[in-house]
């Protein structure tokens, strides 16, 4: 029978991997929707109403499904990780409660106005509803990331024992909630969400632009799809380099606060200096794939790069090896390869952003078929990179559920049997796979249906010449 600890971890991983897709879409769309709403109210141009209404549909669907899948995650703390909840409930429960009482209620209340109230409320209230929805979406991330970041770098607590059970008591809320990891996680996650949506928008827009301007098909709402491509590209030019730069600084923080995780990210088993940073790495045999070691990996690396990354500029800096840490090690293969692919995707997004920006500057954005294909293939890769980042974050922390305080094995519900855990794992696998498929299908139907028709719409022209002006083709420059 499967180990209940393993089954519980797999179940939580599965539900989180599926759930994270929906908040990434809502958090990433929030800034776009605020901007589109502002431009719609300010200019009255049909294109902005179309952009607002079309992407609001995707936001609303993702919000609804994300609410359901997110609630299940909170219940899993009680069903599968009751010992952890007992130990950390005094500190961990507060941010989760505030997320529901403040952020979720703000978002849910004004979402009704934002989705259904355009013709029923004035411009000021409607603009307020767009801002409130966006703020509520990002405020949810604040409380969730406070809880998770505390598990990575716990602060502001005292540990006691009651009836043999370790209990965490909150003694300094500011130190706990403003722990060292929180600002790093928040900036990286929110920028990743906007970057992921930018890739998705650019990829969807590129598909229709490619069909019209390259293949010559008659496509309705060409101006809308051109604007979608351009706005996605503008956001990508900003977020992709920022993500790489911030990721470099973030990795340094991980080295300082979780050296075991950093060693797993770089597959450093023996303490060493001048450790290379592999930009591209390939397993040469099964052992390299399942048990990677930095010294044995075949790849393209920067000599001393990992040491430079860890120290902030010294390629001779010493990195503490995994062998020096007592007890179980993180699953190094999962952490190492996830980190490699995530970093590779990050650099690909930078290349894609400046490739697209250069072609736009040259006036060839709407006719570059190779760029269109690259954007289409990259549309889901932002979310893939987010998933890999969370795998590095959570798997790299093992064997700890609270770093240095409580091990994951000790946090699992003591009465949970292997049979019960296996049954719920199988059930969740079926249900969450179904939810993901349904969400994907609904998004496909929304995209295939295209933007809604609006009064005075001029964006449905199918044979007008390609525009090299601003995002809406109205001579706005950079938008």
């Amino acid at each position: 029978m499967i180990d209940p600890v393993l089954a519980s971890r797999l179940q939580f991983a599965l539900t989180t991997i599926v759930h994270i897709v929906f908040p990434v879409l809502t958090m990433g769309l929030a800034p776009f929707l605020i901007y589109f709403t502002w431009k719609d109210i300010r200019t009255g141009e049909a294109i902005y109403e179309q952009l607002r209404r079309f992407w609001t549909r995707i936001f609303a669907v993702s919000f609804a499904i994300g609410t359901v899948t997110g609630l299940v995650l909170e219940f899993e703390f009680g069903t599968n990780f009751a010992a952890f909840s007992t130990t950390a409930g005094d500190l961990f429960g507060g941010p989760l409660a505030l997320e529901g009482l403040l952020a979720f209620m703000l978002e849910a209340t004004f979402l009704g106005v934002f989705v259904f109230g355009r013709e029923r409320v004035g411009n000021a209230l409607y603009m307020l509803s767009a801002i409130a929805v966006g703020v509520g979406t990002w405020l949810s991330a604040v409380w969730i990331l406070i809880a998770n970041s505390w598990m990575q770098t716990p602060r502001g607590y005292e540990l006691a024992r009651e009836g043999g059970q370790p209990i965490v008591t909150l003694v300094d809320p500011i130190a706990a909630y403003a722990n060292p990891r929180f600002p790093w996680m928040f900036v990286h996650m929110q920028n990743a969400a906007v970057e992921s949506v930018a890739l998705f928008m650019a990829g969807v827009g590129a598909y229709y632009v490619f069909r019209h301007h390259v293949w010559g098909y008659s496509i309705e709402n060409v101006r809308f799809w051109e604007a979608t491509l351009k706005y996605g590209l503008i956001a990508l030019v900003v977020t992709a380099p920022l993500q790489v730069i911030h990721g470099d600084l973030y990795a340094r923080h991980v080295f300082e606060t979780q050296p075991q995780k950093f060693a797993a990210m770089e597959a450093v088993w023996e303490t060493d200096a001048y450790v290379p940073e592999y930009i591209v790495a390939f397993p040469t045999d099964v052992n390299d794939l399942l048990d990677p070691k930095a010294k044995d990996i075949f790849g393209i690396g920067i000599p001393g790069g990992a040491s430079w990354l860890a120290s902030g500029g010294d390629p001779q800096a010493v990195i503490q090896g995994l062998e020096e840490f007592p007890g179980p090690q993180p699953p190094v293969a999962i952490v190492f390869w996830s980190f490699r692919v995530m970093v590779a995707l990050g650099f690909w997004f930078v290349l894609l952003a400046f490739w697209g920006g250069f072609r736009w500057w040259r006036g060839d954005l709407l006719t570059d078929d190779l760029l269109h294909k690259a954007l289409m293939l990259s549309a889901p890769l932002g979310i893939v990179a987010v998933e890999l980042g969370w795998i590095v974050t959570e798997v790299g922390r093992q064997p700890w559920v609270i770093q240095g305080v409580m091990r994951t094995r000790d946090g699992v519900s003591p009465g949970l049997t292997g049979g019960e855990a296996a049954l719920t794992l199988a059930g969740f696998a079926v249900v969450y796979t179904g939810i993901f498929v349904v969400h994907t299908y609904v998004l496909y139907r929304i995209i295939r249906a295209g933007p809604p028709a609006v009064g005075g719409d001029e964006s449905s022209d199918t044979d007008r010449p390609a525009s090299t002006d601003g995002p809406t083709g109205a001579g706005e420059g950079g938008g």
Side-chain angles (χ1 to χ4, degrees), residues 283-325:
T284 56
D285 55 36
V286 175
N287 286 334
D288 283 348
L289 181 64
L290 301 180
D291 186 23
K293 293 179 173 59
K295 290 186 174 182
D296 302 330
I297 293 294
F298 173 77
I300 302 173
I302 302 173
S307 295
W308 183 90
L309 179 67
S311 64
D314 180 9
Q316 297 292 339
V318 175
I319 296 179
Q320 190 175 4
L322 288 164
E323 292 179 352
E324 293 197 20
F325 296 94

Side-chain angles (χ1 to χ4, degrees), residues 225-391:
W225 297 116
E226 290 174 359
T228 295
L229 167 59
K230 291 176 179 179
Y231 277 118
L233 190 57
I234 290 170
L236 189 62
V237 168
V238 175
T239 56
L242 176 59
Q243 194 72 354
V244 170
I245 294 170
H246 186 266
D248 170 72
L249 300 173
Y250 189 0
R252 197 166 305 149
H253 168 74
V254 171
F255 170 74
E256 294 170 352
T257 56
Q258 293 178 298
Q260 186 177 22
K261 177 189 289 188
F262 187 88
M265 289 160 53
E266 301 296 343
V268 178
W269 287 89
E270 299 175 0
T271 299
D272 201 359
Y274 202 63
V275 178
E277 175 67 29
Y278 288 101
I279 304 301
V280 180
F282 303 96
T284 56
D285 55 36
V286 175
N287 286 334
D288 283 348
L289 181 64
L290 301 180
D291 186 23
K293 293 179 173 59
K295 290 186 174 182
D296 302 330
I297 293 294
F298 173 77
I300 302 173
I302 302 173
S307 295
W308 183 90
L309 179 67
S311 64
D314 180 9
Q316 297 292 339
V318 175
I319 296 179
Q320 190 175 4
L322 288 164
E323 292 179 352
E324 293 197 20
F325 296 94
Q329 301 293 349
V332 176
I334 297 175
V335 179
F336 176 80
W337 293 113
S338 295
F339 185 67
R340 300 273 84 70
V341 177
M342 180 190 68
V343 170
L345 287 175
F347 282 106
W348 167 244
F349 299 154
V350 173
L351 174 63
L352 197 60
F354 287 102
W355 178 12
F358 175 74
R359 298 303 287 172
W360 190 354
W361 176 68
R362 291 290 300 272
D364 300 322
L365 175 64
L366 304 180
T367 56
D368 188 335
D369 60 329
L370 185 60
L371 174 62
H372 297 162
K373 292 174 183 177
L375 288 169
M376 285 186 273
L377 291 173
S378 300
L381 294 185
I383 293 177
V384 171
V386 171
E387 301 279 15
L388 292 171
W390 276 106
I391 289 172

Side-chain angles (χ1 to χ4, degrees), residues 66-349:
T67 300
V68 175
T69 55
L71 285 173
V72 173
L73 284 173
E74 297 195 13
F75 280 108
E76 286 183 274
F77 287 118
T79 57
N80 292 73
F81 294 93
F84 163 77
S85 299
T86 301
T87 295
D90 185 47
L91 195 145
F92 196 78
L96 296 185
L98 288 170
E99 189 269 337
L101 292 173
L102 297 180
F104 175 77
M105 291 305 297
L106 174 67
E107 184 181 6
T109 299
F110 280 95
L111 183 62
V113 178
F114 185 64
V115 174
F116 303 110
R118 184 65 185 101
E119 307 301 326
R120 296 176 174 85
V121 300
N123 289 341
L125 181 56
Y126 192 73
M127 188 69 235
L128 176 63
S129 72
I131 295 172
V133 168
V135 170
T137 303
W138 280 45
L139 193 56
S140 289
V142 168
W143 295 112
I144 296 300
L145 293 178
I146 282 175
N148 187 275
S149 62
W150 181 83
M151 295 165 65
Q152 311 285 337
T153 54
R155 299 288 190 278
Y157 73 97
E158 289 182 352
L159 189 64
R161 300 192 75 86
E162 296 180 8
Q165 174 76 35
I167 300 295
V168 169
T169 302
L170 178 63
V171 295
D172 187 346
I174 295 177
Y177 293 170
N179 64 78
R181 180 60 52 83
F182 169 70
W184 294 101
M185 293 188 78
F186 182 76
V187 173
H188 209 64
M189 180 63 203
Q190 301 313 99
N191 190 73
V194 178
E195 182 182 25
S196 298
V197 168
L199 284 161
F200 183 65
M201 291 178 67
V204 171
Y207 170 75
Y208 285 99
V209 169
F210 175 79
R211 284 175 60 85
H212 180 70
H213 290 293
V214 179
W215 279 359
Y217 286 111
S218 178
I219 300 294
E220 293 186 357
N221 302 295
V222 173
R223 186 182 173 204
F224 171 87
W225 297 116
E226 290 174 359
T228 295
L229 167 59
K230 291 176 179 179
Y231 277 118
L233 190 57
I234 290 170
L236 189 62
V237 168
V238 175
T239 56
L242 176 59
Q243 194 72 354
V244 170
I245 294 170
H246 186 266
D248 170 72
L249 300 173
Y250 189 0
R252 197 166 305 149
H253 168 74
V254 171
F255 170 74
E256 294 170 352
T257 56
Q258 293 178 298
Q260 186 177 22
K261 177 189 289 188
F262 187 88
M265 289 160 53
E266 301 296 343
V268 178
W269 287 89
E270 299 175 0
T271 299
D272 201 359
Y274 202 63
V275 178
E277 175 67 29
Y278 288 101
I279 304 301
V280 180
F282 303 96
T284 56
D285 55 36
V286 175
N287 286 334
D288 283 348
L289 181 64
L290 301 180
D291 186 23
K293 293 179 173 59
K295 290 186 174 182
D296 302 330
I297 293 294
F298 173 77
I300 302 173
I302 302 173
S307 295
W308 183 90
L309 179 67
S311 64
D314 180 9
Q316 297 292 339
V318 175
I319 296 179
Q320 190 175 4
L322 288 164
E323 292 179 352
E324 293 197 20
F325 296 94
Q329 301 293 349
V332 176
I334 297 175
V335 179
F336 176 80
W337 293 113
S338 295
F339 185 67
R340 300 273 84 70
V341 177
M342 180 190 68
V343 170
L345 287 175
F347 282 106
W348 167 244
F349 299 154

